[in-house]
Structures are given as structure tokens and as C-alpha cells.
Amino acid sequence: MSIEVKHISKSFKDVNALKDISFSVKEGELFGIIGPDGAGKTTLFRILTTLLIADSGSASVSNFDVVNNYKDIRKSVGYMPGKFSLYQDLTVAENLEFFATIFGTTIEENYELIKDIYVQIEPFKNRKAGDLSGGMKQKLALSCALIHKPEVLFLDEPTTGVDPVSRKEFWEMLKRLQQKGITILVSTPYMDEAALCDRIALIQDGEILEIESPEAIVLKYPKKIYDVGASEMYLLIESLKEYTHSYSVYPFGEFVHYSDKRESFDPKELQDFLESKGLKEITIAATKATIEDTFMELAK
Amino acid sequence: MVIEVENLSKVFGDFKAVNQISFEVGKGEIFGFLGANGAGKTTAMKMLIGISSPSSGKATVAGFDVYKNAEDIKKNIGYMSQKFALYDDLTIKENITFFGGIYGLSRSRIKEKSELLINELGLQDVAKELVGSLPLGWKQKLSFSVALLHEPKIIFLDEPTGGVDPITRRQFWELIYKAANKGITVFVTTHYMDEAEYCDRVSIMVDGKIEALDTPKKLKEQFNVDSMNDVFLKLARG
């Protein structure tokens, strides 16, 4: 196992940030920690990168214990924190040079690994890191985290606040790194990104709700889900919530995801009810549960 | 029209951050303002809320001119940013009283509004607790309601749901629908493309210009794709 976490708990004053967390990540796996702000993702990353000590439980990375062998871990992992943490007043090239030197290597030695990321920021290599755009900062931070050829890469919310185009490009980069044999633990609040991981852990309020592959996790949703559409969104949501048999009602893009309490559900009956509420252009069609549906069901 | 914008531009040196954008937003409309990082969304929004003067072009917000009546604009709009703007070390009630005072509401009006707001959000049990101790989702809902305290005609929301859990994100959108239903115009930016689908109309900015503007349904037809995410990827990737 590349990462092994056993019964980790951590509290800050009266906040239980992590409650008895256990999971393991295989070598070469792309593993996602999916959950909203305040779920405990960063605390978990800080424990695994040896920057914080857990109250109880144990963890190892590349078979090194996070407490006893913390120095070995620091040599063999790359960590990209959620907050931009490079030197703002050094240039792009100087930052990279600095991190290579700290880890006793050179840019040339591992250039192959960062090449397709670094070429995108190379035209700006004499610009100070503090003057880069968000997307470029992110690419530089990833290059610096990779320059010593780590066995395991920790990425804490690398795409938060990033637009959908740059997010897609970032995930394509991660897939290529994974093909080079690097184990990747990545956290994100965006549920659509979860689909790109090999396995994911859904986390909320310091607890893991479920660990599965993205394909398998959606099968955990216990009900049939319907896409319901109508002319007026707000009235539609209010009406569906009022319907006696409604089990869950959540807007999803242009439709509302609806599930019914009963085993035998007749769409015609719901259609009549919605019409009586004055709604028009009503459509009801069966659809598949998404990771977000499953998360909301488990988080209830 | 509640917002009218014609050939509005903002130039920094040789860089055209906002390049001759034009659009209108109606009363009670939910208007999605999308674009990649660096496309010029924040610069455009700053001009509309009266804190940055345009380089050229025309714009009126709630009937006030952005050049001449910036102060009147500020009084007639609500604004909420992705960064939480309430005071962590004041209680929920104290924050409401403070912002009510800033907006010039009378004591009796603040008291009345404060009770209404706390009941609506179901915060009765925690009204006397420090805002800093609340989960992010609650803070964002509270922040939204506080931005509506002075009953503005328009509310500007800058990435209001970033990092918020999926259930709260949806509760937040229900608050938006409710406000729009009362006739308040909602101007919102987001990186969640499913939220773009919740808007009445959506504009997409690319390199300082508005490259697309229509209802989500028509944009999907125009680009011949199934989701707003695909519309966005097609446009912004060129």
C-alpha cells in the first residue's frame, strides 16, 4: 500500500476535525477525497505530509510511519497545499531551482516529468511568482511539487476557484502523471471531478461516508431518480416539496431530481398534481443518480 | 431594464480587461455572468457596483449612471462576494444590527427585519452565537440575507457557492429563486456549470468580450451540445 490510514482522529479545541478515519491507497492509484469546505480534508493532508500529529490512530506513506519516519516521508512525497505557498518575490525559474536544490536534485535531472506542465509557464520564467495569474501559479506549484520525482503526490484542492476549462486541463495533467507511476491523493469540493478518480472517499464533518469507485458509488443510491422539468423552476421546486410522496427534491441543472417514497410510483399521478399547481410544459423521465445525489443521500 | 450596459470598457495600460460589452438585465431576472479566470468578470462587476470607473462606454444600474451616481448605485444594490464579509467575532444578531445600521435602517426596522431573517433561515437557536463558529454554508446563506436587508432592487453575487456542500448549495439557490420571485434582480457569477442552468439568461465572457448571451436552452441549441459545461468548454477553448 502506498498510503495506509488507520483510525486517525484529530480535534482542535471543541471541533472534531477528523473522527476515526481509515482508508488505504494502492500504488499508482488516483484517489480522491471529496467533500465540502470544513469536512476535514486539509487536516488529513497535513497529517499525511507530517506537518501535523494526529491525536490517535496511525498512518504510513510509502511504508514510512508519519510520526517516526517523518523525514523519509518528506523526501519522498510532493505536496501542493490549497493555499499558494511558493516564494512570491522569486521568479518562476528561481522557485523551481530552489525546490530542486532543497531536495538535492536538478531541474535537468527530472525535467521529463514536469516538461508538459512547465513548458506552459516557461515563457514567463523571469516573472515573479506573485505576479502570475491563478492558473499559472497552479502550474508552477505543481512543477515544484514534482521536481524531486516524488513517489506520492498530495494535492489539496488544486482546482478550487478555477474555471471549468482550466480544471479540465489540470485533470488531464494528473492522468498523465498517474501513467508515469505516481500515486496521487487529491481533494476537491467539485463532485464532477470525482468521476475522474480510480476510487473516491466521500467525507463530511470529519467522517468518511463511503469509499468506492465512482461507478460503484452511484449504485449505492437507494431509490429511482427522475428528471422533472417545467416552465417555472421555483414553483416546480416548491410544488414537488409539497407533494406528500416526495422523498427527495434537488435542483440539478435544468431539471429537478425527484425520488418518491413509494416502491410503485406513477409519473402520471405526479404530472396531474403539478398541473393542478399551475405548472406547464411538465416532463418526467427516469434518470441515473450522480455522485452528488449519492453524497447528499449519505450526508442526510 | 434594471441594468443597461452599452459598449462598456475598462483599460489598464494597453490591456483591455473589459472590451466593449453590451447587455441588459430585466426586473426579477436571474442573470448568470460566466467566464474563465482572467476573462474580465470581476473588473466588469466592479464597474457595475460603482467602485471602479469605466474607461469608456455607458452603463446604468437601478436607473443610476455609473459615472455620475456611483453613490446612489451603492445604496440601491446588495453585494455578496465569494470571500465571506460578515464579522466573525460578532454574533449573528450583532452582524444584522451592524449592517442594518450601515444601510441606514431605523432601529425598529432593524429589529423587525432581524427577527424575520433569523426565522426564515431557521437560525433561532444560534442567533446569539458568534458568526465565526458557523459552518460555511450557513454563513453564506446569512451573508446573502444580510445583503438583502435594505431591500435593494438588484443583488450582485460573486461566486457565492464556492466550496459549499451540495445540499447547502441547493438551499442557497432556493434563496436566489425566492428573491427573484419577489422581483429582485440577481446578477451572479459561478464556476459550477450546473448552476449556470438555473439562470434565466447567461452571458459568457472570453478575453474581455461577451462571446455568447442567451437562455441556457438556446445556448445549448446554438452550440449543439447537451450541457452548459460543454457550451463553456467550446467557447473558452476556442
Side-chain angles (χ1 to χ4, degrees):
Chain A
M1 284 298 156
S2 189
I3 302 172
E4 191 91 57
V5 178
K6 286 180 186 160
H7 305 293
I8 287 279
S9 295
K10 178 77 190 176
S11 300
F12 302 101
K13 287 183 194 159
D14 46 1
V15 179
N16 296 322
L18 294 174
K19 303 168 197 164
D20 196 25
I21 295 273
S22 299
F23 66 95
S24 53
V25 180
K26 293 174 210 139
E27 250 167 68
E29 198 171 21
L30 176 50
F31 192 96
I33 305 282
I34 318 290
D37 282 9
K41 301 190 298 290
T42 299
T43 304
L44 176 64
F45 274 66
R46 291 178 62 80
I47 289 170
L48 293 177
T49 51
T50 77
L51 302 172
L52 194 66
I53 293 178
D55 297 337
S56 59
S58 66
S60 67
V61 176
S62 294
N63 295 319
F64 297 118
D65 184 86
V66 289
V67 178
N68 299 323
N69 308 108
Y70 72 95
K71 283 187 178 166
D72 296 302
I73 291 182
R74 290 181 188 182
K75 273 182 222 155
S76 56
V77 307
Y79 173 42
M80 182 173 154
K83 189 169 171 282
F84 184 70
S85 308
L86 303 182
Y87 292 94
Q88 310 259 8
D89 45 4
L90 292 185
T91 64
V92 168
E94 285 167 344
N95 264 296
L96 195 59
E97 183 79 44
F98 176 82
F99 282 95
T101 311
I102 288 271
F103 284 104
T105 180
T106 59
I107 297 174
E108 294 72 34
E109 200 177 326
N110 295 319
Y111 189 69
E112 218 26 62
L113 192 61
I114 63 163
K115 195 177 142 200
D116 58 322
I117 304 161
Y118 190 63
V119 287
Q120 300 175 50
I121 47 172
E122 211 160 17
F124 311 99
K125 67 177 182 188
N126 295 320
R127 194 180 283 189
K128 283 187 180 162
D131 296 335
L132 295 176
S133 73
M136 287 196 279
K137 276 184 182 165
Q138 182 201 40
K139 285 175 184 130
L140 177 60
L142 183 59
S143 300
C144 290
L146 283 169
I147 196 60
H148 59 297
K149 209 177 182 208
E151 290 167 28
V152 184
L153 188 58
F154 292 92
L155 306 168
D156 191 8
E157 297 205 26
T159 55
T160 292
V162 174
D163 68 72
V165 177
S166 309
R167 276 167 52 197
K168 191 161 185 272
E169 287 171 357
F170 194 84
W171 276 88
E172 285 163 5
M173 288 190 288
L174 290 192
K175 282 284 180 193
R176 286 197 292 272
L177 287 173
Q178 187 194 12
Q179 280 157 16
K180 290 176 179 163
I182 298 176
T183 304
I184 303 173
L185 187 72
V186 57
S187 71
T188 177
Y190 296 103
M191 306 270 158
D192 55 340
E193 294 183 342
L196 303 163
C197 301
D198 296 324
R199 282 191 306 146
I200 53 178
L202 300 181
I203 179 169
Q204 171 140 307
D205 295 331
E207 283 175 286
I208 290 183
L209 303 171
E210 191 71 66
I211 301 173
E212 266 298 356
S213 70
E215 300 77 32
I217 215 156
V218 294
L219 302 177
K220 304 261 172 176
Y221 193 82
K223 297 259 170 194
K224 276 190 88 168
I225 281 196
Y226 293 85
D227 266 341
V228 183
S231 47
E232 280 174 81
M233 194 59 159
Y234 184 58
L235 183 60
L236 175 64
I237 296 169
E238 294 292 296
S239 306
L240 284 173
K241 283 192 171 169
E242 224 178 88
Y243 191 53
T244 347
H245 306 294
S246 76
Y247 177 75
S248 72
V249 176
Y250 291 118
F252 262 81
E254 62 182 311
F255 299 109
V256 175
H257 277 189
Y258 171 82
S259 63
D260 201 273
K261 277 183 200 151
R262 300 162 295 177
E263 279 295 318
S264 60
F265 161 64
D266 180 11
K268 182 74 183 66
E269 206 182 308
L270 178 61
Q271 170 117 16
D272 291 344
F273 172 77
L274 294 176
E275 272 168 10
S276 76
K277 288 283 165 187
L279 284 157
K280 295 190 180 72
E281 297 164 47
I282 299 161
T283 56
I284 303 172
T287 188
K288 281 183 182 149
T290 66
I291 292 172
E292 221 167 7
D293 287 304
T294 314
F295 186 96
M296 291 193 283
E297 176 64 22
L298 293 169
K300 258 184 189 171
Chain B
M1 285 298 146
V2 180
I3 302 176
E4 283 179 84
V5 178
E6 203 184 324
N7 294 326
L8 194 70
S9 296
K10 179 84 185 187
V11 180
F12 299 105
D14 330 323
F15 178 63
K16 289 177 180 161
V18 174
N19 193 354
Q20 297 207 313
I21 59 170
S22 301
F23 62 91
E24 291 180 338
V25 186
K27 185 175 190 299
E29 189 173 14
I30 303 175
F31 188 81
F33 198 61
L34 312 186
N37 300 102
K41 294 188 306 280
T42 304
T43 308
M45 203 181 224
K46 277 184 176 169
M47 292 192 275
L48 296 180
I49 61 174
I51 59 170
S52 164
S53 189
S55 304
S56 62
K58 283 192 251 176
T60 60
V61 176
F64 298 105
D65 184 272
V66 291
Y67 294 95
K68 293 181 224 146
N69 313 110
E71 286 311 309
D72 292 312
I73 291 179
K74 289 179 201 164
K75 281 179 207 149
N76 283 281
I77 60 164
Y79 174 77
M80 179 197 154
S81 106
Q82 94 201 74
K83 297 229 171 79
F84 184 66
L86 301 182
Y87 290 95
D88 270 351
D89 43 10
L90 295 183
T91 66
I92 292 176
K93 252 194 156 139
E94 286 166 346
N95 263 293
I96 299 172
T97 308
F98 177 81
F99 283 98
I102 292 273
Y103 287 128
L105 303 188
S106 68
R107 267 169 199 270
S108 58
R109 191 95 183 94
I110 291 174
K111 193 161 179 275
E112 186 187 317
K113 277 262 164 192
S114 158
E115 272 166 27
L116 201 69
L117 193 159
I118 287 169
N119 283 332
E120 255 183 17
L121 293 179
L123 296 173
Q124 296 91 332
D125 296 343
V126 288
K128 285 184 179 155
E129 284 187 27
L130 296 184
V131 159
S133 65
L134 292 178
L136 176 77
W138 288 25
K139 285 184 186 177
Q140 294 300 78
K141 283 192 275 183
L142 178 62
S143 189
F144 177 79
S145 303
V146 167
L148 288 176
L149 264 185
H150 58 305
E151 297 173 0
K153 296 186 180 74
I154 310 169
I155 184 160
F156 287 86
L157 306 171
D158 194 0
E159 287 181 37
T161 54
V164 174
D165 73 81
I167 295 179
T168 315
R169 204 150 70 77
R170 286 177 172 78
Q171 290 169 346
F172 194 91
W173 269 89
E174 283 168 29
L175 291 177
I176 292 181
Y177 282 127
K178 204 172 182 182
N181 218 35
K182 283 187 198 157
I184 298 170
T185 301
V186 181
F187 187 98
V188 58
T189 74
T190 179
H191 283 319
Y192 290 98
M193 288 303 118
D194 60 329
E195 295 187 348
E197 311 255 8
Y198 303 157
C199 301
D200 295 317
R201 282 190 306 146
V202 167
S203 80
I204 301 179
M205 266 185 104
V206 182
D207 297 334
K209 290 186 181 160
I210 290 183
E211 292 291 346
L213 200 175
D214 218 322
T215 63
K217 194 165 175 244
K218 286 200 178 135
L219 285 175
K220 284 183 279 183
E221 280 167 15
Q222 187 188 333
F223 289 89
N224 197 21
V225 291
D226 296 333
S227 69
M228 281 305 294
N229 194 48
D230 291 338
V231 171
F232 192 90
L233 290 178
K234 267 200 165 174
L235 260 180
R237 257 190 185 172

